[in-house]
Structures are given as structure tokens and as C-alpha cells.
């Protein structure tokens, strides 16, 4: 944007005049007013013909530990999990191309817990899977960028409580 840029407005042909909490929704010729309401980590846009939900998903979800840790990123692209055993598998469902997902991996009070399998198609810096911190209650942050086919992983280690 520069000061010389001209911003054009399109006149609404059916005189839809939005008020606070509304936006015009239409096909370029005819418009209707849609209400905007907050939802759980989302903004919901509703008009007479239906609604859409725009998810923000920034509140961390707590994942359930187990042999396979399933992370449905529709419920949040930030997560945390406390490991209670070794050789865990992390599985991501519903990823979206272009998104980065982060999980805080926490060692339980015993420590020395491991993740042996990351989502299929994960590529790590220098080709090496992360070796998690082993101290009891320590935290590692794993970031996974998804390009639609592969995950590209990076990690920070040993964040102490």
C-alpha cells in the first residue's frame, strides 16, 4: 500500500447497510447481511442461507497420552501432551496445507519417555529425528509445517519447569 494507491469501493446494489457485528455477503451483484458472532476459538458468520465457521484454533489442546497420540488439528493447532511411557507414535488428523502446528511434549515425573514415530512424511532438520529431553517434567517444543504432502519439523529442547 502506498499513499498513491486508489482504494475502490463497490456500491451494494440492494442497499445492504451493515451495522456493528454484520458484514455484507454476496455474489458481487446481490448482497445480504451476515451476523458475525464469536465462537469457541472461531468466528461464526451466519446469514439466511447458512453459516460458515472461521476457526482461529490458537488455544492449546491437551492431547491424551497412549501408545498412539492422535492430534486432531481441527480442534487446535497448538497442543501439549505429557508422556507417560516410551515409544509413542504421534498421528495428526485433518491437517491443512500451509499451516504450522506446535506441540509441547512434557516428560512426566519419571522422565526418559520417548516418541519413536512422528507423522508419516515428516522431514527433520539434517534428517535427524529429535531426541527428547529426558529429565522429569522437562518440556520440548516441536513445530511441524505441513505443505500438503510432507511435514517439516523443527524442535527446541529442554525447557525446564
Amino acid at each position: 500500500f502506498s499513499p498513491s494507491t486508489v482504494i475502490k469501493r463497490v456500491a451494494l446494489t440492494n442497499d445492504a447497510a451493515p451495522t456493528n457485528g454484520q458484514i455484507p455477503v454476496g455474489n458481487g451483484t446481490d448482497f445480504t447481511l451476515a451476523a458475525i458472532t464469536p465462537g469457541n476459538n472461531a468466528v461464526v458468520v451466519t446469514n439466511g442461507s447458512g453459516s460458515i465457521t472461521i476457526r482461529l484454533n490458537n488455544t492449546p489442546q491437551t492431547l491424551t497420552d497412549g501408545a498412539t497420540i492422535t492430534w486432531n488439528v481441527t480442534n487446535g493447532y497448538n497442543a501439549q501432551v505429557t508422556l507417560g511411557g516410551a515409544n509413542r507414535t504421534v498421528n495428526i488428523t485433518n491437517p491443512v496445507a500451509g499451516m504450522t502446528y506446535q506441540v509441547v511434549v512434557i516428560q512426566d515425573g519419571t522422565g526418559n519417555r520417548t516418541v519413536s514415530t512422528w507423522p508419516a512424511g515428516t522431514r527433520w532438520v539434517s534428517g535427524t529425528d529429535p531426541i527428547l529431553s529426558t529429565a522429569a517434567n522437562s518440556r520440548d517444543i516441536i513445530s511441524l509445517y505441513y505443505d500438503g504432502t510432507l511435514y517439516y519439523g523443527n524442535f527446541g529442547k529442554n525447557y525446564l519447569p
Side-chain angles (χ1 to χ4, degrees):
F1 179 78
S2 69
S4 63
T5 301
V6 175
I7 300 173
K8 296 183 179 184
R9 296 184 314 165
V10 176
L12 303 178
T13 59
N14 60 342
D15 294 326
T19 60
N20 196 13
Q22 293 181 321
I23 60 171
V25 176
N27 61 11
T29 303
D30 294 314
F31 294 87
T32 186
L33 296 177
I36 302 172
T37 55
N40 184 19
N41 289 320
V43 175
V44 179
V45 180
T46 306
N47 68 12
S49 61
S51 68
I52 61 169
T53 301
I54 303 165
R55 294 245 173 245
L56 305 174
N57 292 338
N58 54 358
T59 301
Q61 60 176 305
T62 299
L63 304 178
T64 301
D65 178 52
T68 298
I69 300 165
T70 300
W71 180 7
N72 181 349
V73 295
T74 300
N75 298 326
Y77 50 72
N78 293 310
Q80 68 178 27
V81 62
T82 301
L83 299 179
N87 299 317
R88 299 307 201 216
T89 295
V90 174
N91 180 38
I92 294 178
T93 60
N94 301 309
V96 175
M99 293 298 298
T100 299
Y101 305 104
Q102 293 190 11
V103 60
V104 177
V105 179
I106 305 167
Q107 293 286 340
D108 66 4
T110 301
N112 289 313
R113 309 303 192 177
T114 59
V115 172
S116 57
T117 306
W118 295 93
T122 300
R123 305 293 188 260
W124 296 100
V125 175
S126 301
T128 304
D129 288 14
I131 297 172
L132 300 176
S133 301
T134 58
N137 302 309
S138 62
R139 297 166 181 249
D140 300 324
I141 299 176
I142 309 295
S143 297
L144 297 166
Y145 170 79
Y146 183 63
D147 72 357
T149 303
L150 301 173
Y151 294 94
Y152 294 91
N154 204 341
F155 54 94
K157 289 180 56 171
N158 208 25
Y159 294 92
L160 298 176

